[in-house]
Amino acid sequence: MRKFAAGRLKNALTRYLNNHTNLSSSQSRFLSSKTVLDSATSMADPSSSPVTLQTINPKVLKCEYAVRGEIVNIAQRLQQELLDKPGTLPFDEILYCNIGNPQSLGQHPITFFREVLALCDYPSILDKSETQGLFSADSIERAWKILDQIPGRATGAYSHSQGIKGLRDAIAAGIEARDGCPADPNDIFLTDGASPAVHMMMQLLISSEKDGILCPIPQYPLYSASIALHGGTLVPYYLDEASGWGLETSELKKQLEDAKSKGISVRALVVINPGNPTGQVLAEGNQRDIVEFCKKEGLVLLADEVYQENVYVPDKKFHSFKKVSRSMGYGEADISLVSFQSVSKGYYGECGKRGGYMEVTGFSADIREQIYKMASVNLCSNISGQILASLVMSPPKVGDESYDSYRGERDGILSSLARRAKTLEDALNSLEGITCNKAEGAMYLFPQINLPQKAIEAAKAAKTVPDTFYCRQLLNATGIVVVPGSGFGQVPGTWHFRCTILPQEDKIPAIVTRLTDFHKKFMDEYRD
């Protein structure tokens, strides 16, 4: 009966819409509810849609990914408004500071990498004489070497499920050169960026909600999302903001014991170094403590090291957890370690090429077979991403034709990022109620905002959390897109936002000016 009545009402409204093209504003507002009626009709007859929020996997509902969440959706609507109605907003462009996506903000790709990719994708030009003048000799040589390792010399072909053997050889050699200890190409699994590798390990380690993963807070929401999707429990450990986002093993022990008391079996520890969203670089001594903790507690160490090239302070240096553990005398059989790397970050910023890998050590042969099986389900990662991953770990060397230009591009990007980080850090620390730790590495700042109580009450009235309220107001007033700290996790009662350092240097002054002007007005408006 409900289905019949709703259907008749819907048909009548449709006829009315077709017959009345000149409507008053009140009629237009009324008729804009047609979508709502359609939804109501569907709800009146649940069988009309085989998929509803009530029938989909509840783990999907639990999963959230703030980096492309509410604030970005608003920004995209404003972007369209700027195109459709120029001059109607208080700014003339959207400044995206929400995601580590360098090339979308004007960063140029590394020439040598793109030359090799182009030649591999279109190998017929390798035999043409004109190519010798357009491409460097070492990019041509590298392309031939890579093509000889690909079945059929075709980047459109499937590869081995772990990735092309010759490319894994190059990556292993790069790891060995970086760490000073052996690396086995059979330990390397090439993936479409680091994210699928993280999902693969979560799928391996989590069997029920009783399986927990120790994860930093704040954390990159890939981890909370993947833990939720695979049905596990995120066991938070809080980084110490007062000590520059330090990682204390006493906090790890406390959270581990608390999880055990709740019947949760903690399987692994996630460490992000350099930190996302926090930008700290771990000291080697701190890393040794972490390795000892994992060894003692029998935990898999999941080392997110995708920002290993992004270190901006002279007193800090990146050390891989593999290098640290081997320097402590631990062999492969002593600790289970998975290291993640990606071509999306560093100075290369090839996000859209979706290249990355994980190096898996300290697992038994039967578990390795299961990891390989999971990789095989996806057949293989994309070949362009595989090639880039090999190039990132084996770039031009001294004496190669491309070395000087490669070094100039690399150093220019990294030094510019360091300057941008310092400029934004200083600007944030100059604002009332904002404190920001030093950006030692990665691509982000994660300042804390001491919001007035009046602003917190206004957020409550708007049915949102205070940092989202601030970020939304910032966007609507300035066009600057940042991510609320609540999307990454934070100490209860504190509020933050994550801001990238990626807009090109000539955009940074505008960001500083807009942010400064907005913040002063915001604080004046909501001052207690």
Side-chain angles (χ1 to χ4, degrees):
M1 187 68 181
R2 283 186 302 171
K3 177 181 177 182
F4 179 74
R8 290 185 63 184
L9 180 57
K10 181 178 178 183
N11 291 338
L13 181 56
T14 301
R15 288 196 300 273
Y16 188 87
L17 280 167
N18 291 336
N19 294 331
H20 295 77
T21 54
N22 298 314
L23 302 175
S24 68
S25 60
S26 61
Q27 287 172 318
S28 296
R29 285 194 298 272
F30 169 74
L31 291 175
S32 68
S33 64
K34 178 178 180 290
T35 303
V36 177
L37 180 61
D38 288 346
S39 178
T41 303
S42 177
M43 289 175 64
D45 177 25
S47 65
S48 66
S49 175
V51 182
T52 68
L53 291 179
Q54 289 70 40
T55 61
I56 66 170
N57 187 339
K59 296 170 188 174
V60 174
L61 293 175
K62 188 177 178 182
C63 165
E64 294 182 0
Y65 189 69
V67 173
R68 295 196 177 188
E70 173 193 348
I71 301 298
V72 178
N73 291 335
I74 296 172
Q76 289 168 345
R77 291 199 296 270
L78 293 175
Q79 182 86 61
Q80 191 60 46
E81 191 170 337
L82 285 173
L83 293 172
D84 296 340
K85 302 174 184 177
T88 59
L89 296 175
F91 45 84
D92 57 5
E93 67 175 326
I94 302 293
L95 294 168
Y96 286 97
C97 300
N98 63 297
I99 192 169
N101 194 13
Q103 292 187 27
S104 73
L105 296 174
Q107 180 173 306
H108 294 294
I110 300 299
T111 302
F112 175 79
F113 295 170
R114 285 300 184 89
E115 284 190 358
V116 175
L117 278 180
L119 291 166
C120 288
D121 277 336
Y122 192 39
S124 61
I125 63 174
L126 279 164
D127 293 321
K128 296 184 178 180
S129 58
E130 308 93 87
T131 301
Q132 307 299 321
L134 291 174
F135 295 85
S136 63
D138 52 336
S139 67
I140 293 172
E141 180 183 355
R142 185 73 67 93
W144 275 121
K145 182 177 180 180
I146 290 171
L147 286 168
D148 285 341
Q149 298 162 351
I150 299 175
R153 289 184 172 176
T155 57
Y158 288 136
S159 76
H160 186 281
S161 293
Q162 279 186 245
I164 295 164
K165 174 61 166 58
L167 301 184
R168 287 187 282 123
D169 288 338
I171 291 169
I175 293 171
E176 187 166 335
R178 180 195 69 192
D179 294 342
C181 53
D184 185 345
N186 292 319
D187 291 338
I188 293 165
F189 290 76
L190 286 158
T191 52
D192 290 326
S195 298
V198 170
H199 280 291
M200 201 182 302
M201 293 313 302
M202 294 304 174
Q203 194 166 17
L204 179 82
L205 295 169
I206 294 170
S207 60
S208 76
E209 69 279 357
K210 291 297 184 181
D211 289 320
I213 308 293
L214 272 164
C215 205
I217 298 297
Q219 53 92 37
Y220 176 46
L222 164 66
Y223 292 96
S224 55
S226 61
I227 292 167
L229 281 172
H230 296 294
T233 296
L234 187 151
V235 179
Y237 67 88
Y238 289 92
L239 301 177
D240 183 11
E241 186 169 8
S243 65
W245 301 112
L247 195 169
E248 302 293 337
T249 52
S250 58
E251 169 70 4
L252 294 177
K253 292 173 185 175
K254 172 187 170 184
Q255 298 299 341
L256 178 64
E257 291 306 314
D258 183 61
K260 286 180 178 178
S261 72
K262 297 173 182 175
I264 296 170
S265 175
V266 178
R267 308 296 309 284
L269 168 67
V270 173
V271 181
I272 307 173
N273 180 47
N276 177 9
T278 45
Q280 85 283 11
V281 179
L282 292 178
E284 187 174 1
N286 198 182
Q287 291 182 264
R288 288 172 174 267
D289 293 339
I290 293 164
V291 170
E292 286 285 6
F293 176 79
C294 289
K295 171 65 176 172
K296 179 182 177 183
E297 301 296 341
L299 301 178
V300 176
L301 177 51
L302 301 176
D304 183 329
E305 299 177 335
V306 304
Y307 295 100
Q308 59 190 259
E309 302 280 1
N310 299 100
V311 179
Y312 309 124
V313 290
D315 59 328
K316 290 289 183 76
K317 185 179 179 181
F318 169 78
H319 300 281
S320 75
F321 271 99
K322 181 184 175 186
K323 175 183 177 181
V324 170
S325 64
R326 298 297 182 265
S327 72
M328 296 169 67
Y330 289 132
E332 182 167 331
D334 296 318
I335 184 168
S336 297
L337 171 65
V338 183
S339 305
F340 303 105
Q341 169 64 316
S342 170
V343 306
S344 300
K345 310 305 176 186
Y347 56 87
Y348 13 91
E350 293 279 11
C351 304
K353 296 298 184 182
R354 308 311 299 133
Y357 68 82
M358 61 179 178
E359 184 186 18
V360 179
T361 58
F363 290 81
S364 62
D366 55 345
I367 297 301
R368 289 288 295 273
E369 287 180 11
Q370 300 307 308
I371 298 173
Y372 177 76
K373 180 172 67 177
M374 287 192 293
S376 299
V377 169
N378 291 322
L379 293 174
C380 70
S381 59
N382 81 87
I383 304 301
S384 293
Q386 291 189 33
I387 293 170
L388 266 172
S390 76
L391 296 175
V392 161
M393 296 305 292
S394 58
K397 296 178 175 59
V398 176
D400 292 343
E401 182 182 332
S402 295
Y403 177 74
D404 287 341
S405 62
Y406 157 76
R407 183 183 61 179
E409 291 172 341
R410 178 197 66 192
D411 293 351
I413 290 169
L414 290 174
S415 60
S416 175
L417 287 171
R419 291 191 297 270
R420 287 177 251 175
K422 186 70 169 84
T423 299
L424 287 169
E425 174 194 320
D426 290 345
L428 288 163
N429 279 319
S430 73
L431 299 179
E432 177 189 359
I434 290 185
T435 56
C436 183
N437 281 324
K438 181 179 287 188
E440 296 177 339
M443 296 177 171
Y444 316 101
L445 297 164
F446 198 65
Q448 182 177 160
I449 329 167
N450 185 11
L451 291 169
Q453 187 59 35
K454 190 176 176 182
I456 294 173
E457 293 299 324
K460 184 178 179 181
K463 298 182 179 179
T464 189
V465 293
D467 51 11
T468 299
F469 179 77
Y470 180 91
C471 294
R472 190 189 294 164
Q473 297 266 51
L474 173 65
L475 171 59
N476 287 327
T478 68
I480 297 173
V481 188
V482 296
V483 187
S486 48
F488 302 90
Q490 53 199 342
V491 172
T494 66
W495 310 107
H496 301 76
F497 63 83
R498 188 186 80 165
C499 176
T500 73
I501 61 173
L502 293 175
Q504 293 298 291
E505 277 195 86
D506 61 353
K507 299 285 187 185
I508 299 297
I511 292 172
V512 170
T513 299
R514 292 188 198 185
L515 177 59
T516 300
D517 292 346
F518 162 79
H519 187 77
K520 288 177 179 177
K521 290 176 183 176
F522 181 93
M523 295 300 282
D524 287 342
E525 180 179 355
Y526 293 103
R527 196 176 303 281
D528 296 333

